[in-house]
Amino acid sequence: MMVIIFMVVGLVLLIGFNLLICSWQKAIIMESRYYQQFNQANSSLTWGITQNWPAPKAHWHCLTEPTYQLKACIKKSLLKVDKYVLVRGEAKDEDFYLYTLAHFDNNRLIVEKGHWLDYCPEKRAIYCE
């Protein structure tokens, strides 16, 4: 009887440990996917800032870099201060975006420190779509 009790307790412990490891694996996979998307969007944003752009309009204008699969977009910001341009870096094949606010001068974007955002700065999220 004692052997059966020890076997049942051991089995319960092994099942619990297996469930714990499975949940850790899921968390690690989700976190690594997030960091891949973040790095791709950040690379797109950094690349986009260095490009020559046409004058921003009220709708998104995008440029892509096929080698590294980078995509950056700009549009006029609806914020009432400083006539900002909204710059968006995208992760490939995902709905993951990073934003920054910049000024437009002679087809170049001028970014000030502290204007990097991981959310849409417009009052309504629909204006960032």
Side-chain angles (χ1 to χ4, degrees), residues 18-73:
N18 185 38
L19 291 174
L20 184 64
I21 288 175
C22 287
S23 70
W24 286 346
Q25 284 177 332
K26 288 179 186 177
I28 289 170
I29 289 169
M30 288 174 51
E31 194 166 326
S32 67
R33 187 164 185 250
Y34 168 80
Y35 283 117
Q36 288 172 350
Q37 291 174 337
F38 179 87
N39 289 333
Q40 180 75 30
N42 194 29
S43 295
S44 295
L45 188 62
T46 303
W47 172 79
I49 290 169
T50 64
Q51 301 305 303
N52 287 324
W53 292 90
K57 306 281 189 217
H59 58 279
W60 288 108
H61 176 73
C62 299
L63 294 177
T64 58
E65 199 288 321
T67 304
Y68 298 107
Q69 300 177 344
L70 303 176
K71 184 176 180 182
C73 304

Side-chain angles (χ1 to χ4, degrees), residues 66-95:
T67 304
Y68 298 107
Q69 300 177 344
L70 303 176
K71 184 176 180 182
C73 304
I74 66 167
K75 76 176 234 174
K76 282 185 183 178
S77 175
L78 298 175
L79 298 174
K80 299 292 184 196
V81 294
D82 287 342
K83 295 185 181 180
Y84 281 118
V85 174
L86 186 58
V87 186
R88 178 177 73 187
E90 300 182 14
K92 62 180 178 177
D93 303 327
E94 302 290 335
D95 288 333

